[in-house]
Amino acid sequence: MRHQHYILHKPYGYLSQFKYELKRKKKLLGELFDFPKGSMAIGRLDEDSEGLLLVTTDGRVSDYICSSKVDKEYFVQVDGLITPNAISLLSKGVEIGFEGTKYLTKTCSAHQVEIEPNFGPRAKKIRDERHGPTSWVSITVNEGKFRQVRKMTAAVGFPTLRLVRVRIGNVQLNNLKSGEVIEVPEFNIK
């Protein structure tokens, strides 16, 4: 069987899944593209998050990419002007809640993004300047606890306002527009 692989820019407001069993109507990945039967999202981006999402029909590829062997980079817009101390704390690992217990995140790469990224407007407005300044930070992790990056920025006093995954391994979001899907022969993850 020849497996199929896709790169997509998940828009805000979509679930990273193809089926939703609860009664509330949700936007699903299948509304963006006619994916083949057996397709699965590799990892998740929650409904409020955007950016790079990989889809495949190959479970082994999915398992590898979800492992701690592959880095995932996020650009995060935070409430306030991020400080060097907060960046240092993020890099060293911070304590977050996970499944009812405290968890210390692994060390990661974190730095301030000096030039505001141009992701275009989000489907739901975040807020405007009257509510105070915001800043952007790049956080690269190789683990993926539930809402981890959001919990990390909150733990250092800078709640997440917008979260966009920009890289998984060597696969980058680049100029893919929100909702755009491209098929690739394989993922260049290394």
Side-chain angles (χ1 to χ4, degrees):
M1 173 182 172
R2 181 184 155 297
H3 287 290
Q4 292 176 273
H5 313 286
Y6 302 87
I7 299 171
L8 70 102
H9 183 156
K10 185 190 103 48
Y12 173 88
Y14 280 76
L15 296 181
S16 296
Q17 57 195 64
F18 294 93
K19 291 181 188 176
Y20 185 72
E21 304 297 332
L22 300 178
K23 291 182 182 179
R24 270 183 53 208
K25 177 79 174 119
K26 296 286 186 175
K27 295 178 189 174
L28 304 175
L29 295 179
E31 297 172 38
L32 297 173
F33 189 81
D34 187 20
F35 292 101
K37 185 177 169 109
S39 291
M40 64 192 87
I42 301 176
R44 301 242 178 199
L45 284 173
D46 62 33
E47 189 174 5
D48 296 336
S49 299
E50 313 161 62
L52 183 62
L53 189 64
L54 305 180
V55 173
T56 187
T57 58
D58 188 344
R60 287 180 292 166
V61 168
S62 178
D63 288 345
Y64 175 74
I65 293 172
C66 288
S67 76
S68 62
K69 297 174 184 166
V70 178
D71 287 343
K72 290 88 178 170
E73 182 179 9
Y74 301 84
F75 278 13
V76 188
Q77 184 180 23
V78 296
D79 187 8
L81 299 176
I82 193 97
T83 63
N85 184 55
I87 296 284
S88 177
L89 291 171
L90 288 168
S91 297
K92 293 175 184 172
V94 295
E95 190 175 87
I96 62 173
F98 178 69
E99 294 183 348
T101 61
K102 296 292 182 185
Y103 174 79
L104 182 64
T105 60
K106 294 179 182 178
T107 59
C108 70
S109 171
H111 65 273
Q112 185 169 359
V113 176
E114 299 297 334
I115 298 172
E116 183 172 331
N118 183 17
F119 295 121
R122 194 173 77 167
K124 180 180 176 188
K125 187 172 169 101
I126 296 169
R127 67 175 205 194
D128 59 39
E129 300 80 35
R130 293 175 295 169
H131 296 98
T134 67
S135 54
W136 286 85
V137 61
S138 165
I139 300 174
T140 303
V141 297
N142 60 13
E143 58 182 338
K145 305 294 183 204
F146 179 71
R147 297 178 72 88
Q148 177 177 335
V149 173
R150 291 177 184 280
K151 291 176 182 178
M152 289 171 67
T153 65
V156 298
F158 294 90
T160 295
L161 300 173
R162 186 174 186 186
L163 187 142
V164 182
R165 183 161 50 204
V166 296
R167 184 175 60 83
I168 300 171
N170 290 335
V171 179
Q172 301 209 18
L173 184 61
N174 292 330
N175 296 321
L176 215 56
K177 292 177 179 48
S178 183
E180 191 175 353
V181 179
I182 58 171
E183 185 171 4
V184 295
E186 63 184 21
F187 298 124
N188 180 20
I189 297 300
K190 304 293 181 241

